[in-house]
Amino acid sequence: MEDGGKRRRRWVVLGAVLAGAVLISGITLWVTDSSPFKDRYCWGAWEQDSGPRFLGDDALGKSGSERVTAESGTPGSGGKTATCTLTVSSSVHDDDSTQPITFQDRVTLSYGPVPEAPDKRRDWIDRYFSGSASALPGGLDGLVASDRAMLILPEVCDVAGRASAVTLWAESWGDGHLGKRAMPLTIGSLPDVSTMLLDAADVGMRKAGCAPEKPLRTSVPMVRLAERDDSAGNPLCRIPGVTFTWGKDMRYQQQVGVVGDRLQTCSVVWKQRGSPDEPAAQFVMAGSPRTAAVFAGLPEGSGQGLVRRDCDGRNTVFYAHIGPGLGDGGGEKDRQVFERFTDAVGKRVGCGPAKGTEGAAR
């Protein structure tokens, strides 16, 4: 039999071997940037190198690149909007200047109620109901593009009668001797962006205390439904009767988005190189209860660009926001265009007469 001293020495040696193995494993994980040493961002919703391009090494390809995150507020705190901004900064040598060209790629995650003020709500709708975005599958109320995404949350998450939503918004800027210029930024593929959106929604709802029993997921593949943008023309987005006077030096681009029985989107933007796209007109038909809830509280009537109709038993919203550069500032021409949109799309989805009343010009 072994005496006590030999047994103690054996346990000491075994303990040293195990400790060394754990140390080596930890170093290996750290060197290879493997979990549990990967960074987590935005209230823990996202993990480094988890799939989307913006969270991986590809986003850090330029010299001096670094990724930083900044959170403002917590989802559900006081019913206010909480935001998290994930920024990748980098720079490259500029042959025409002593100063380098700097770049900032930024993705902003927001959780909270849709804006209350009508003008800010319309701007929000212009951004997230863009024709560049495709509908989330599996009955989820949301839209996803490579540079933006939006999910309308269940009614239990509403704040003061306003629907709550989770949004993603990407923007990129370069700054050099030619000045500051906007550039396109891709967060990731549509499936990756939709996963980021749903992960953020799950974390946000848990923190806000309104999460469903099961996390929001879809087993249906995310596919692109929106068409490529092209020069705007008549009829706009192939909607009968929706026409504008475009002018000769035209930089308007139209985007045919979702075309379904419960959602249709059409966008017009003014494009100028080096500047963000400027929304010029937005048309939406929304027939699901949660999507229609986004428009609750806005002024209604044809003159306001918002009416409700019964479409095959569904309370359906028809909405238009026409900018002053393209329309007549909410006057008679804008009203006529909106009514043609409502009639054409309403006939397509089987709607009855409009529920809204005539409203004053916006």
Side-chain angles (χ1 to χ4, degrees), residues 73-261:
T74 302
S77 178
K80 298 180 180 179
T81 296
T83 62
C84 175
T85 302
L86 192 59
T87 304
V88 174
S89 301
S90 60
S91 63
V92 296
H93 176 72
D94 188 349
D95 293 334
D96 298 313
S97 173
T98 58
Q99 299 296 319
I101 302 174
T102 60
F103 299 93
Q104 272 206 344
D105 298 340
R106 184 181 303 117
V107 173
T108 301
L109 163 65
S110 298
Y111 178 104
V114 296
E116 183 175 13
D119 56 342
K120 294 185 181 299
R121 180 92 61 89
R122 292 186 181 109
D123 290 343
W124 190 94
I125 292 168
D126 287 349
R127 172 175 288 187
Y128 294 112
F129 281 83
S130 167
S132 65
S134 298
L136 278 168
L140 296 172
D141 291 283
L143 292 160
V144 176
S146 62
D147 64 345
R148 71 193 74 192
M150 174 270 293
L151 175 68
I152 305 161
L153 301 178
E155 187 175 0
V156 68
C157 298
D158 285 3
V159 175
R162 284 177 286 145
S164 289
V166 175
T167 61
L168 303 182
W169 173 252
E171 53 188 334
S172 178
W173 296 89
D175 196 355
H177 70 277
L178 295 177
K180 192 173 184 179
R181 302 295 179 91
M183 301 179 296
L185 176 62
T186 296
I187 303 173
S189 66
L190 294 191
D192 283 343
V193 177
S194 64
T195 298
M196 289 178 67
L197 180 68
L198 297 181
D199 287 345
D202 287 334
V203 169
M205 287 188 294
R206 286 201 303 271
K207 290 186 175 295
C210 63
E213 292 184 4
K214 295 182 179 180
L216 297 178
R217 289 292 181 269
T218 176
S219 58
V220 182
M222 179 76 210
V223 296
R224 179 185 175 90
L225 299 176
E227 299 182 11
R228 304 291 180 183
D229 63 341
D230 59 6
S231 296
N234 292 325
L236 181 68
C237 293
R238 301 191 298 274
I239 303 171
V242 179
T243 61
F244 292 95
T245 301
W246 300 106
K248 295 181 179 179
D249 184 21
M250 193 187 75
R251 295 178 181 174
Y252 290 111
Q253 294 282 306
Q254 70 176 9
Q255 183 88 56
V256 179
V258 179
V259 182
D261 292 340

Side-chain angles (χ1 to χ4, degrees), residues 42-82:
C42 298
W43 310 295
W46 303 330
E47 185 179 74
Q48 178 186 358
D49 292 328
S50 56
R53 178 188 177 279
F54 195 74
L55 300 179
D57 291 338
D58 287 347
L60 303 175
K62 297 186 181 74
S63 62
S65 295
E66 63 173 350
R67 185 188 286 120
V68 297
T69 184
E71 297 175 2
S72 176
T74 302
S77 178
K80 298 180 180 179
T81 296

